[in-house]
Amino acid sequence: QVVIVGDEGRGQFEQAAGLRYDPFLITLAVTADQQAALRHLAPWIAAMKPVDDRATAYVCQKFVCHPPITSAEGLSRSLAPKA
């Protein structure tokens, strides 16, 4: 699962997440208003904050979210298949 929060630079993160085919990857890009609306249903999403007011990605696997990723290149590396 990838959650993208923040507005500035969001398109680059969405593109990075969409470039790699993975039928099991769920990507959710949310605005601050959408995060607030989800706070009762998915409080962990409401807790995810943009870093330095820029788009930030959170990659979560097996019920664990990794540290925030602040660049589209970092997200691409994170989603790359592991050898």
Side-chain angles (χ1 to χ4, degrees):
Q1 169 186 344
V2 176
V3 179
I4 302 168
V5 297
D7 294 324
E8 188 177 334
R10 173 194 305 244
Q12 294 171 334
F13 282 86
E14 291 174 330
Q15 184 177 14
L19 284 177
R20 187 170 313 284
Y21 174 74
D22 183 344
F24 302 105
L25 179 67
I26 297 170
T27 302
L28 180 63
V30 293
T31 65
D33 290 340
Q34 291 168 329
Q35 279 184 279
L38 288 169
R39 73 178 177 270
H40 297 297
L41 182 63
W44 60 92
I45 292 175
M48 296 175 176
K49 302 295 181 202
V51 174
D52 296 330
D53 293 323
R54 296 187 49 82
T56 302
Y58 291 83
V59 177
C60 305
Q61 297 171 315
K62 298 179 183 176
F63 303 104
V64 175
C65 292
H66 301 283
I69 298 171
T70 56
S71 72
E73 296 81 14
L75 179 58
S76 292
R77 283 192 304 273
S78 178
L79 297 177
K82 310 298 186 250

